[in-house]
Amino acid sequence: MNPYNAISVGCWDWMRILIVEDDEAIANLVAQSLKAHHYAVDIADDGSIGWECAESTTYDLILLDVDLPKLDGISLCQQLRDRRCETPILLMTAKNATEHRIRGLDAGADDYLVKPIDLGELQARVRALLRRGVVGASLLEVGDLRLDPQSCQVTYAEELLSLTPKEYSLLELFLRHPARVFSCGDIIEHLWTFDDPPQEDSVKSHIKGLRQKLKAVGAVNWIENVYGLGYRLNQTIGKEEKKTTIDDAKTIASPVSEPEVPDSEPYNQAVEQLWNQYRGLMEERLTVLQQAVQALRTETLTEDMQQAAERAAHKLAGVLGMFDRPEGTQIARQLEELFSGQLNSQQHPALQLLVQQLSQVLEIEQSSIEQIEVQIEVQPITTPASIRSWNILAVDDDPIILAALEQQLEPWGMRVTAIENPLQFWTILPSVNPDLMILDVEMPQLNGVALCQAIRANPTWQSLPIVFLTAHQDPATVQQIFAAGADDYVVKPVVGHELISRITQRLERIRLLQTLSTKDSITGLSNQYHSSQAIATLITQTQSGYFAIAYLPTLRQINIQQGHAAGNQTLKQLSQHLEMTFNNTAILGYWGNGEFAIALSHTSKEALQKQLSAIPMRYEFAIVQYPVDGFTVQALYQAASLCLEG
């Protein structure tokens, strides 16, 4: 179901295009034309919906009408570019005036198409814009496997494979991103549109079908499971075939290298301990339901009792799935839905039957725990080193959910701080300083959506990534969550590996953004802002130290005569020499215009001068001392600059 009232059109290919057009006839005509060329298409009929779609989904191209209700196309384009959206944008308008073209291009559009639209020209412009990105029409080859995007044909050892549209799209997705792991959610986002999202089992079925067809022609084990994260192209393709065969029905991981796995025995014991610890609480919730059903039979059911029963069913629905009791989740959701509406005594037999069935589910503790233990033994969770040392703050009024989150996330090296009372949030938040926050939607003391809005309004914490847990996936709730500023949401009952996959992907994006915001892209050293802060901290913590500027006076001349590529290479060479010379004993930064900053303590000026003089490159440097030549970073920089000029 589309959370933004946008219309979706099915397709073969994995490239996804958003059409923002309020004229239904034009939008459908353009969509059908794109569908014929194997693109996934979403349609939004006003600028506001288009903005929400672009914010929540990654598109390869956006087709944007200029005259839109609520938010015009040029303003929407400007907003997207202000948010650093790099998706190619093609503006469509009936206005042929030069000033509108200029406004659109100045707003960040990549191309312009005047109505009435010629579909042939549209397709040509779409192909041209997509070629500027990562998507190309060139032949994809890995070993004996070949995929031709133009003819949509796949061959292995010159034998043609007959693939379904989704199998073809899956294979193209893996071939274009051979090193990336795609979760089921990632695959759904790329290959399906808003209106036809499949179940996870459907994705697995397509994966299995593709594997079988590849295996039939000799391409064995080309798609591998990365347990807990998803699927990827086997990294050993073209070098050697694996000796073992993956059982597709069990989907057991076969890692390329020996994984680092947490000990499963303590985890098994923790699962059983959790269930025993909170069994009484779940029985209390069942008792609330039983009392409400009894009160309905005697026509003494009050509004408060009905609301309490609805909450109890809601809590059970969110918890039972985490202990591998999906049937209990389904029953609890039915009860929640019934108690949320108008009730009469005629509904008593149905409610009583559901409560009895739920009671039976809660009575089969031991067999379910044993089943969980077997699954964990057969399917160990690999722990990638790249996601260690993250602080997670979880806010949920259900202690079972919080305890389960700790057990699921801590084996992955994530430190979880749990808050059961959301009123304590602002007191605990500064001491935790979390990298990511997990937030429940419905809490009695404070609504999760309202808390999310408050966080986004706080300058200190407004960029904190927030993942919601919710038992509801209706469009209204999803739209409300994203409108409040959420980054993602997971539907209760929480499937551990889905939650881990979403959180790890979000944390890796954070790591990437942190790197981009602190590192210079050419030299790889800290940028001016970040290194200046580090140097300022150093000089406040030490009694004395040295600051130096290394300068390439010939950089501009190299750029002019040999090109910026040669100039960038010179910068890289000097940065590498500096890193090897100081070997993490100094703060290094690139400040632009050929200037490098170096700061360190516990040395002498003569020793520092000797180190800089030994670098085999033509450059200049100047050394000043803290606090003799200045008390601040700016003062030291000015003093060093004067030395260079002299």
Side-chain angles (χ1 to χ4, degrees):
M1 184 175 293
N2 184 348
Y4 300 113
N5 298 322
I7 306 166
S8 299
V9 182
C11 71
W12 283 24
D13 211 342
W14 65 274
M15 288 181 283
R16 193 163 187 172
I17 296 176
L18 173 65
I19 300 174
V20 189
E21 169 63 71
D22 62 323
D23 189 316
E24 184 177 351
I26 294 177
N28 288 332
L29 182 63
V30 171
Q32 290 302 322
S33 175
L34 295 171
K35 173 187 174 183
H37 287 75
H38 313 320
Y39 301 117
V41 181
D42 293 324
I43 301 175
D45 56 12
D46 66 58
S48 177
I49 294 175
W51 166 256
E52 294 174 0
C53 289
E55 281 283 275
S56 62
T57 304
T58 301
Y59 291 97
D60 299 286
L61 178 66
I62 299 175
L63 303 183
L64 191 56
D65 186 27
V66 171
D67 292 320
L68 290 170
K70 297 186 180 180
L71 181 64
D72 69 88
I74 293 178
S75 298
L76 174 55
C77 180
Q78 183 67 59
Q79 287 189 20
L80 291 171
R81 293 307 187 223
D82 289 344
R83 291 293 294 269
R84 297 186 178 179
C85 172
E86 298 180 356
T87 302
I89 296 176
L90 174 62
L91 285 180
M92 305 180 296
T93 182
K95 297 177 180 179
N96 198 16
T98 303
E99 60 267 26
H100 292 291
R101 294 183 180 180
I102 295 174
R103 284 186 59 210
L105 295 173
D106 285 344
D110 298 272
D111 204 350
Y112 210 99
L113 197 58
V114 177
K115 298 177 183 178
I117 295 173
D118 180 275
L119 294 179
E121 181 183 1
L122 170 67
Q123 291 292 345
R125 292 180 182 270
V126 167
R127 288 193 297 270
L129 289 173
L130 290 175
R131 280 196 298 270
R132 299 177 192 176
V134 298
V135 179
S138 58
L139 189 68
L140 300 175
E141 293 184 87
V142 177
D144 292 332
L145 184 64
R146 304 179 68 184
L147 185 147
D148 188 344
Q150 293 184 339
S151 64
C152 295
Q153 289 188 339
V154 179
T155 60
Y156 182 79
E158 300 184 357
E159 182 176 348
L160 185 65
L161 277 74
S162 178
L163 303 179
T164 67
K166 281 296 187 286
E167 290 168 354
Y168 171 87
S169 301
L170 275 168
L171 183 58
E172 184 177 7
L173 185 64
F174 291 134
L175 289 175
R176 290 194 183 278
H177 304 277
R180 177 176 170 182
V181 178
F182 289 91
S183 66
C184 284
D186 293 330
I187 293 172
I188 290 172
E189 181 177 334
H190 280 291
L191 303 187
W192 278 267
T193 51
F194 279 132
D195 285 342
D196 67 336
Q199 298 295 320
E200 185 171 316
D201 288 342
S202 178
V203 176
K204 293 179 180 178
S205 177
H206 288 296
I207 292 283
K208 182 177 180 180
L210 177 59
R211 281 173 166 162
Q212 290 174 340
K213 291 181 180 180
L214 289 171
K215 182 180 179 180
V217 295
V220 181
N221 297 338
W222 280 55
I223 298 172
E224 67 172 349
N225 294 73
V226 181
Y227 189 77
L229 293 180
Y231 307 89
R232 70 178 174 192
L233 198 68
N234 193 327
Q235 297 297 292
T236 62
I237 289 174
K239 299 179 181 179
E240 60 179 357
E241 293 287 341
K242 287 187 176 180
K243 296 180 180 179
T244 58
T245 301
I246 298 177
D247 185 346
D248 291 309
K250 295 181 180 179
T251 61
I252 298 176
S254 297
V256 176
S257 58
E258 187 67 25
E260 177 190 357
V261 297
D263 186 3
S264 61
E265 184 59 30
Y267 184 85
N268 298 338
Q269 295 174 357
V271 170
E272 185 173 359
Q273 183 180 357
L274 275 177
W275 180 260
N276 293 330
Q277 179 180 351
Y278 292 105
R279 178 176 175 177
L281 179 56
M282 284 183 276
E283 290 178 350
E284 288 179 12
R285 293 170 180 173
L286 181 65
T287 300
V288 172
L289 293 171
Q290 292 171 334
Q291 291 173 347
V293 171
Q294 177 65 17
L296 179 64
R297 186 181 69 82
T298 59
E299 298 184 352
T300 58
L301 180 66
T302 65
E303 183 177 351
D304 289 342
M305 292 177 65
Q306 183 172 338
Q307 290 178 353
E310 180 187 354
R311 288 194 298 270
H314 175 81
K315 296 297 184 185
L316 286 171
V319 166
L320 291 174
M322 301 183 73
F323 291 96
D324 197 32
R325 290 165 173 79
E327 68 278 15
T329 295
Q330 295 175 2
I331 297 169
R333 280 181 172 166
Q334 293 180 52
L335 287 166
E336 180 187 5
E337 183 177 354
L338 289 171
F339 278 112
S340 66
Q342 296 292 328
L343 293 175
N344 55 64
S345 58
Q346 295 179 350
Q347 295 173 282
H348 172 263
L351 284 167
Q352 187 175 30
L353 178 61
L354 289 172
V355 171
Q356 288 175 351
Q357 292 174 344
L358 188 59
S359 176
Q360 293 172 0
V361 171
L362 295 175
E363 288 173 356
I364 56 173
E365 281 31 83
Q366 190 58 40
S367 61
S368 293
I369 290 295
E370 291 172 355
Q371 182 179 6
I372 292 175
E373 292 178 357
V374 171
Q375 291 178 347
I376 294 175
E377 286 180 3
V378 178
Q379 303 177 356
I381 301 177
T382 55
T383 310
S386 60
I387 59 170
R388 293 188 181 277
S389 301
W390 294 100
N391 288 327
I392 308 295
L393 182 62
V395 184
D396 197 306
D397 63 311
D398 191 329
I400 307 177
I401 293 287
L402 292 174
L405 285 175
E406 292 181 29
Q407 293 299 328
Q408 289 174 340
L409 298 181
E410 287 184 352
W412 288 69
M414 302 182 199
R415 295 188 294 269
V416 179
T417 301
I419 300 179
E420 185 176 344
N421 182 1
L423 297 179
Q424 300 174 347
F425 171 75
W426 292 108
T427 303
I428 298 175
L429 176 63
S431 60
V432 176
N433 190 22
D435 299 294
L436 182 140
M437 179 176 172
I438 300 174
L439 186 58
D440 188 22
V441 174
E442 298 180 2
M443 295 180 288
Q445 298 95 335
L446 181 63
N447 180 270
V449 174
L451 180 56
C452 180
Q453 291 173 330
I455 295 170
R456 290 293 178 248
N458 187 297
T460 304
W461 303 103
Q462 60 185 2
S463 61
L464 175 65
I466 299 175
V467 176
F468 268 93
L469 301 183
T470 175
H472 304 291
Q473 51 184 329
D474 57 283
T477 301
V478 173
Q479 186 170 0
Q480 186 181 26
I481 287 172
F482 282 113
D487 295 278
D488 202 352
Y489 74 98
V490 177
V491 178
K492 295 179 181 178
V494 178
V495 178
H497 295 109
E498 178 187 0
L499 178 65
I500 291 168
S501 177
R502 290 181 181 273
I503 289 179
T504 53
Q505 290 180 21
R506 183 64 55 185
L507 292 175
E508 286 304 315
R509 291 174 190 171
I510 296 171
R511 186 188 298 276
L512 175 61
L513 290 174
Q514 289 176 343
T515 300
L516 292 174
S517 65
T518 60
K519 299 289 186 181
D520 174 68
S521 60
I522 297 175
T523 64
L525 301 179
S526 295
N527 57 28
Q528 190 273 332
Y529 176 78
H530 187 68
S531 58
S532 294
Q533 288 187 318
I535 295 171
T537 302
L538 176 67
I539 64 178
T540 57
Q541 294 176 346
T542 59
Q543 297 297 322
S544 63
Y546 291 92
F547 175 85
I549 294 178
Y551 175 57
L552 284 169
T554 59
L555 178 63
R556 186 169 182 273
Q557 185 178 0
I558 294 173
N559 288 335
I560 294 173
Q561 295 180 352
Q562 303 178 38
H564 282 78
N568 292 345
Q569 185 61 34
T570 303
L571 290 172
K572 290 179 183 178
Q573 289 177 356
L574 182 52
S575 67
Q576 290 169 357
H577 282 299
L578 290 172
E579 287 182 306
M580 289 188 293
T581 298
F582 293 100
N583 193 24
N584 296 323
T585 60
I587 298 173
L588 302 176
Y590 180 62
W591 287 15
N593 299 318
E595 291 184 345
F596 294 80
I598 304 105
L600 70 167
S601 58
H602 308 296
T603 189
S604 65
K605 186 174 182 178
E606 292 74 17
L608 178 55
Q609 187 171 7
K610 183 177 180 180
Q611 287 177 297
L612 292 173
S613 299
I615 293 177
M617 286 187 67
R618 293 181 58 188
Y619 76 104
E620 300 175 2
F621 65 87
I623 303 172
V624 294
Q625 185 177 3
Y626 167 81
V628 176
D629 297 306
F631 292 93
T632 66
V633 177
Q634 180 62 23
L636 293 171
Y637 173 75
Q638 290 176 344
S641 298
L642 289 174
C643 292
L644 284 174
E645 292 175 0

